[in-house]
Amino acid sequence: MKGVGIDVGKAFLDVAVYGETAVQRYPNTRVGIRRLLKWLAALGTDLRVIVEATGGYEEAVLEASVAQGLWIARVNPRQARHFAQALGQLAKTDALDAHALAQMAHAFAQRLRVHQPAAPWQVELRGWLRRRHQVTEAVQRLRQQAATTLPAIRALMQRSLAALRREQALIDRTLKKLLQEHASPALQSSKGLGPLFQASALALLPELGQLTRRQIAKLVGVAPLNRDSGQWRGVRRIRGGRAEVRVALYMATLSAVRWEPVMKAHYRQLRERGKVAKVALVACMRKLLTIVNARRRDELRAAATT
């Protein structure tokens, strides 16, 4: 087995093979990716290739690699950086990063999960969610700026805000249409599970229903992590995970603890036991995610038997 690391940039793909010093560079274009895959094919069939998540620049090489039947995995950039630092690699260049990824592929080949391409409708849903997030941020930024600017400039900003709100309404209608086609009853089974949570779960959490409650909680970033050493016992905190899904889950939980009887009772019980509001709310997030995960698991099992 050969570990291969690909450092992905906007313009170039830097490729290193474990145990070799040379680094190959290809343009991050269709032609460049075809040349890269041809070069990888010459290395043999027993390859383990990993790339970092780079906000979308890695999508083309992932899609082409899967189409060719190449084993490839996408890893968290923070984990890749920590691995490089553990090797004593404090400097950072494209070539060094490619070598570190190749070593990571060699060391963790059995632990990494092969990349599973998303369905076309999931890719579309992710794109609309990303754009909605951008528009929402732009609206908030303009509203803050408009509060402290000149009246004449504020009038211009109001026109921009109106255009952004129209775009946001269009995006919401498109999301609603996609959800009508693809959302399952498990994602609509509790009060608080609104369109944004449903869209985020479908597009950004395809593992829902396929993992245990502890695994899914850790993946989303709502699992309390220990900080103990010797006789010292630290405060457990949540950390990491998929931020966009966690934000959507947070908003869904805020509504659920008000209107869903089970979640409302659970939140009240935690508060009566002395838990501070944020700790109780995170516990409710974890419980709501567990419920949805179990219902989605049952759906998948039922679909498999029919």
Side-chain angles (χ1 to χ4, degrees):
M1 188 274 294
K2 291 184 179 179
V4 179
I6 303 178
D7 183 72
V8 179
K10 181 179 181 180
F12 295 103
L13 303 168
D14 292 277
V15 190
V17 180
Y18 177 74
E20 299 182 8
T21 57
V23 175
Q24 307 294 324
R25 168 167 279 196
Y26 297 91
N28 193 0
T29 62
R30 291 183 180 180
V31 175
I33 292 172
R34 283 200 299 268
R35 289 171 51 201
L36 165 62
L37 294 179
K38 184 178 180 180
W39 180 77
L40 288 175
L43 296 179
T45 57
D46 194 14
L47 301 179
R48 292 294 183 268
V49 184
I50 63 174
V51 299
E52 289 180 343
T54 58
Y57 293 130
E58 79 283 2
E59 292 290 348
V61 68
L62 279 170
E63 182 180 344
S65 298
V66 171
Q68 186 166 301
L70 187 66
W71 193 104
I72 189 166
R74 175 165 48 188
V75 298
N76 188 303
R78 175 176 52 83
Q79 294 173 328
R81 187 60 196 153
H82 287 175
F83 179 82
Q85 291 173 341
L87 295 174
Q89 180 181 301
L90 302 182
K92 189 180 189 312
T93 67
D94 295 339
L96 288 175
D97 287 349
H99 276 297
L101 289 172
Q103 288 183 270
M104 189 176 185
H106 177 78
F108 297 145
Q110 303 304 319
R111 298 183 58 184
L112 296 172
R113 289 186 300 172
V114 64
H115 174 71
Q116 298 292 336
W121 65 267
Q122 287 179 306
V123 176
E124 182 181 3
L125 193 56
R126 288 176 187 175
W128 285 110
L129 276 175
R130 186 180 299 115
R131 181 54 188 163
R132 192 186 192 281
H133 179 68
Q134 294 167 349
V135 171
T136 301
E137 283 192 336
V139 168
Q140 293 173 345
R141 186 165 55 249
L142 274 175
R143 289 179 61 187
Q144 293 169 352
Q145 294 169 351
T148 58
T149 192
L150 298 173
I153 299 176
R154 190 178 302 124
L156 293 174
M157 288 184 169
Q158 291 299 331
R159 287 200 289 270
S160 297
L161 278 171
L164 286 171
R165 289 192 177 106
R166 287 194 298 271
E167 183 178 348
Q168 192 174 54
L170 173 62
I171 294 171
D172 287 342
R173 289 195 299 270
T174 305
L175 288 176
K176 184 177 180 180
K177 182 179 178 181
L178 287 170
L179 289 175
Q180 288 174 346
E181 297 175 5
H182 301 288
S184 66
L187 296 174
Q188 304 167 332
S189 57
S190 296
K191 293 179 181 178
L193 302 180
L196 284 181
F197 173 79
Q198 296 173 34
S200 299
L202 286 170
L204 307 174
L205 195 63
E207 298 88 351
L208 190 68
Q210 303 176 37
L211 303 177
T212 67
R213 61 185 179 88
R214 291 185 176 87
Q215 289 172 330
I216 201 70
K218 190 173 182 181
L219 185 62
V220 174
V222 293
L225 303 178
N226 292 345
R227 290 182 60 85
D228 303 334
S229 179
Q231 298 181 357
W232 181 72
R233 295 294 179 267
V235 178
R236 297 196 302 171
R237 301 180 186 275
I238 62 172
R239 185 183 179 190
R242 298 183 183 174
E244 292 183 38
V245 179
R246 188 168 58 253
V247 169
L249 177 63
Y250 174 80
M251 299 306 296
T253 306
L254 282 178
S255 179
V257 297
R258 293 186 62 187
W259 307 111
E260 175 66 33
V262 173
M263 298 304 301
K264 186 176 183 178
H266 184 58
Y267 179 76
R268 185 178 299 169
Q269 181 189 45
L270 291 169
R271 294 288 284 143
E272 289 172 353
R273 285 165 50 190
K275 301 294 185 182
V276 298
K278 276 293 179 65
V279 172
L281 193 60
V282 171
C284 289
M285 290 170 64
R286 189 162 56 251
K287 184 177 181 65
L288 182 60
L289 179 64
T290 299
I291 292 171
V292 176
N293 185 62
R295 290 172 178 169
R296 180 60 179 156
R297 178 200 60 210
D298 294 343
E299 282 183 344
L300 294 174
R301 287 178 178 175
T305 57
T306 57

